[in-house]
Amino acid sequence: MHLIIKAAGAGAGMLSHLLAKNPHNLYDRSDKEARVRIVFTTASDEETEAVIYVTPDPIALVKGNASHNDITQYINDREFVTSSRFCSYIRPALGTALNGKPKEAILPWVDHKFQLELSFGPVASNLPDHTIEELFHALGYKLELERGDAVYSFDLKSRSSARYIKLRGEQTLQTALRQLFILIPALDDDKHYFISDDEIEKIKRYGEGWLDRHPLRALILKRSLRFANLIKQFDGDEPDSFSEKVPVTPAEISAEP
């Protein structure tokens, strides 16, 4: 699981201040579920790059999980893919940037749009490439998709759900992170937590200023909130139109045109 954030151009060195991390020190924190490390591979006024790498505890992933009682709880991709788990692991480390509350002297940079490059993965998604492209193109990003370097003697790589994503675009760090914290779980479509009213509040907070204008808003909400009553609650008294805009079965969602 990883996320690489790269800022280029004038002011790129402010990236470390917005992240509230010393670029000359290794950030290394562990809890019972995962180890989170942040290292700056480049740190200058013209280019700064931060690598966020997470190593989950494979035992913690299955401990106390009563939903599986066979070997599939040990043979899966949850230890490796960038998913809702990844976002929950790194949220404490990125709280300053997500909330837009750095030191007072840095506050003017919260609204500064950087030339950003965001790389993350692998992502295991049942969405086709063209839908993933539309999710990010609508936000002004250029997107590259890769399926790794594995070589097979049969046609599997092109059909693999595992992909690495690289985005390039001009955006504030706070908005870019908030977009990822909504879209990464929506891509993976496998939630490791109970979806409740708290999830509505989180999506409203992180989606402020961009989600309502997104052409795939209905799809994002359906994959994030799952349940019709939560989607209706999110939209208040607005008509329930999501079912008219979103395919109703996983097969329809993942099918190539």
Side-chain angles (χ1 to χ4, degrees):
M1 304 177 178
H2 78 268
L3 167 64
I4 302 173
I5 306 171
K6 181 178 179 180
M14 301 307 296
L15 181 70
S16 62
H17 295 280
L18 291 169
L19 292 170
K21 301 292 180 289
N22 187 331
H24 304 295
N25 294 338
L26 170 66
Y27 176 95
D28 193 341
R29 301 288 186 275
S30 297
D31 60 24
K32 62 181 180 180
E33 294 187 354
R35 181 180 181 185
V36 179
R37 284 166 283 185
I38 302 177
V39 61
F40 286 81
T41 55
T42 305
S44 71
D45 290 339
E46 297 297 322
E47 183 177 292
T48 299
E49 181 179 85
V51 179
I52 306 166
Y53 187 76
V54 176
T55 308
D57 181 345
I59 303 301
L61 290 176
V62 298
K63 192 173 183 180
N65 185 356
S67 61
H68 299 284
N69 57 7
D70 56 27
I71 198 171
T72 59
Q73 65 179 316
Y74 300 104
I75 304 176
N76 56 62
D77 59 11
R78 296 300 93 187
E79 184 181 347
F80 310 104
V81 294
T82 301
S83 62
S84 61
R85 288 183 182 275
F86 175 78
C87 293
S88 66
Y89 294 150
I90 67 174
R91 186 176 291 115
L94 301 184
T96 299
L98 279 167
N99 296 324
K101 295 182 178 179
K103 293 181 179 179
E104 187 173 351
I106 311 300
L107 280 174
W109 290 91
V110 171
D111 295 325
H112 177 79
K113 291 188 176 183
F114 296 92
Q115 290 296 329
L116 292 178
E117 183 177 288
L118 307 165
S119 306
F120 56 95
V123 171
S125 179
N126 60 359
L127 291 174
D129 288 355
H130 68 86
T131 301
I132 296 176
E133 290 169 356
E134 189 175 351
L135 281 170
F136 291 103
H137 285 168
L139 298 173
Y141 294 107
K142 294 181 180 179
L143 178 143
E144 293 180 18
L145 287 173
E146 295 184 4
R147 282 183 164 79
D149 298 324
V151 178
Y152 302 100
S153 59
F154 49 93
D155 184 22
L156 176 63
K157 182 176 177 179
S158 62
R159 293 183 285 116
S160 172
S161 66
R163 280 154 283 184
Y164 292 87
I165 297 176
K166 181 180 290 186
L167 308 173
R168 293 187 179 90
E170 187 176 277
Q171 189 54 270
T172 70
L173 177 63
Q174 181 186 29
T175 299
L177 288 176
R178 290 186 166 194
Q179 290 168 343
L180 292 184
F181 268 66
I182 289 180
L183 294 181
I184 286 176
L187 287 171
D188 185 75
D189 199 34
D190 182 89
K191 305 298 181 292
H192 73 284
Y193 49 80
F194 178 75
I195 302 175
S196 65
D197 293 354
D198 292 341
E199 191 72 2
I200 294 176
E201 208 50 47
K202 185 189 78 175
I203 294 175
K204 283 185 176 181
R205 183 169 71 253
Y206 289 172
E208 184 178 2
W210 65 271
L211 181 56
D212 281 345
R213 302 193 301 268
H214 200 292
L216 294 184
R217 175 183 181 275
L219 175 63
I220 295 169
L221 289 181
K222 183 172 184 180
R223 291 175 69 90
S224 298
L225 296 176
R226 297 283 184 93
F227 306 111
N229 63 315
L230 289 179
I231 297 174
K232 290 179 180 179
Q233 188 175 336
F234 183 94
D235 285 330
D237 295 327
E238 295 178 12
D240 181 15
S241 59
F242 76 95
S243 60
E244 300 174 1
K245 300 179 182 179
V246 184
V248 296
T249 67
E252 289 176 304
I253 292 176
S254 59
E256 294 283 359

